[in-house]
Amino acid sequence: MKNKMLSQVAAVVTASLLLFGCASSENIDDTDNTTISQTQTMEGDAAEGKRGAEINYNDMFEELGNTRQFDILALANSNQNLTTFVTLTEKAEITDVLKSNGPFTVFIPTNAAFDHLSKKELNELLEPENKVKLIKILQAHILPNKVYATDFRDAQRIKTSDNKVINVEVSTDKTVTIGGAKIVKPNVEVSNGVVHIVDDVITASEIGG
């Protein structure tokens, strides 16, 4: 069953690359409506992690040295502020995907970012009957291509596979906010892509909304 699910995930990634080609680091413009993959199959518990303490984003992963020696999951596992994301991927049994060659762009919310969901909301999302809803929320955090923070443009909209959009804002100081989540640690290179740490859970909006 697990191998079948991973095969289906890999197939969707491959197909979505064709749709998402315009979102590469070489080619993103202000008017692109790029397409997000339905790659992600995620459910699970939220790990406790450390919450409330101020995070020094500049020093995140400093002790790792060259982060390119780690894949996405190994990078997330290295930091106590990212345990909720790790637990979700483990429960969803997609860890093998995040260890695969990619390349992927992954926006990893901190534990504090997941706290922006109420306990009731999170518990409901973790119920088996709400799996599809959870997938739709988490799939917005993984792109099947390598995209740096400088590739995003203000007022850009990323179209999702369920016909919604993720709005992108770029401030005058080049801070990128994607789907309401600010990139607080951009462009962390890993062996299978690039990771951006974000301070909220990315949300997609209805088209025209």
Side-chain angles (χ1 to χ4, degrees):
M1 177 66 71
K2 181 178 178 181
N3 288 337
K4 181 179 179 182
M5 179 169 59
L6 291 174
S7 297
Q8 290 171 340
V9 168
V12 175
V13 171
T14 302
S16 66
L17 287 174
L18 301 176
L19 299 173
F20 198 80
C22 54
S24 68
S25 59
E26 290 82 19
N27 185 19
I28 287 185
D29 61 38
D30 299 350
T31 58
D32 265 346
N33 281 332
T34 51
T35 303
I36 256 180
S37 159
Q38 279 185 320
T39 309
Q40 296 68 21
T41 308
M42 300 183 177
E43 65 175 333
D45 306 317
E48 286 301 320
K50 279 196 174 180
R51 288 164 164 82
E54 192 71 25
I55 302 172
N56 187 334
Y57 297 111
N58 290 331
D59 291 343
M60 254 183 135
F61 316 119
E62 184 83 11
E63 73 282 359
L64 300 182
N66 183 3
T67 56
R68 289 182 180 87
Q69 64 186 306
F70 300 93
D71 59 44
I72 292 161
L73 192 65
L75 183 85
N77 264 309
S78 75
N79 194 282
Q80 62 189 3
N81 293 295
L82 307 177
T83 54
T84 299
F85 179 82
V86 170
T87 300
L88 290 172
T89 61
E90 288 174 348
K91 292 292 186 179
E93 298 185 304
I94 64 152
T95 53
D96 286 349
V97 174
L98 295 182
K99 293 177 185 177
S100 65
N101 290 335
F104 302 107
T105 296
V106 179
F107 304 90
I108 302 183
T110 62
N111 294 343
F114 281 108
D115 279 346
H116 293 165
L117 298 176
S118 70
K119 187 172 182 179
K120 180 181 178 181
E121 286 176 312
L122 188 55
N123 286 338
E124 286 178 351
L125 286 174
L126 299 177
E127 294 294 332
E129 61 267 27
N130 294 322
K131 182 176 180 179
V132 172
K133 184 177 180 180
L134 179 60
I135 290 170
K136 288 181 179 180
I137 290 174
L138 292 180
Q139 70 181 9
H141 295 77
I142 304 176
L143 306 181
N145 215 325
K146 197 171 182 178
V147 186
Y148 295 97
T150 52
D151 297 320
F152 292 106
R153 299 290 179 265
D154 191 41
Q156 182 184 0
R157 304 203 308 169
I158 301 173
K159 187 176 179 182
T160 69
S161 56
D162 58 346
N163 209 31
K164 293 184 178 181
V165 293
I166 297 172
N167 295 308
V168 178
E169 301 174 21
V170 181
S171 65
T172 54
D173 66 356
K174 305 303 180 185
T175 299
V176 177
T177 301
I178 177 164
K182 183 170 69 175
I183 296 179
V184 290
K185 177 73 173 177
N187 306 331
V188 182
E189 296 274 4
V190 289
S191 62
N192 56 348
V194 62
V195 167
H196 306 291
I197 305 301
V198 292
D199 68 351
D200 209 336
V201 178
I202 292 172
T203 56
S205 306
E206 298 291 342
I207 292 178

